[in-house]
Amino acid sequence: NSINILFSLSSKLLNTINSINIDLFDINGQKVRNVSKQKVNDGLFKEIISRKSKRGSILPQGQYILKIHSKSYSNEKLILFVN
């Protein structure tokens, strides 16, 4: 019950940020939990996103928004949890 994500950031962007946050939101925009906060090293990131809420309960199937952001960067991706 998890999703593996892999993403990279451009070298131009890497020069402007120190860390990156990854947050999970429900489709209504309510924050479900913080997935990760990482220091920026080489620009390659790999995360395993579980279906658990911050309280530890399993999230229902459906669409969620994964927000990858820092002070000067923001990107959102739609993900789908299915049973």
Side-chain angles (χ1 to χ4, degrees):
N1 286 349
S2 61
I3 295 175
N4 293 317
I5 62 165
L6 180 64
F7 64 96
S8 62
L9 299 175
S10 71
S11 57
K12 183 177 179 181
L13 183 60
L14 288 174
N15 293 330
T16 64
I17 61 176
N18 295 326
S19 65
I20 197 95
N21 293 300
I22 304 172
D23 295 313
L24 185 65
F25 294 83
D26 67 19
I27 199 67
N28 297 315
Q30 296 284 71
K31 187 174 178 178
V32 173
R33 70 182 180 94
N34 175 265
V35 174
S36 177
K37 182 175 184 178
Q38 301 180 23
K39 290 201 180 273
V40 174
N41 294 321
D42 59 4
L44 295 175
F45 299 88
K46 181 179 180 182
E47 276 300 322
I48 298 173
I49 302 169
S50 74
R51 281 182 65 178
K52 291 187 178 180
S53 71
K54 58 185 163 188
R55 294 187 177 142
S57 61
I58 299 294
L59 297 170
Q61 71 178 5
Q63 294 179 339
Y64 291 84
I65 300 164
L66 189 66
K67 184 174 182 181
I68 303 163
H69 60 102
S70 70
K71 289 182 180 178
S72 61
Y73 172 80
S74 183
N75 195 346
E76 296 177 358
K77 299 293 180 187
L78 189 63
I79 60 173
L80 180 64
F81 286 128
V82 295
N83 291 336

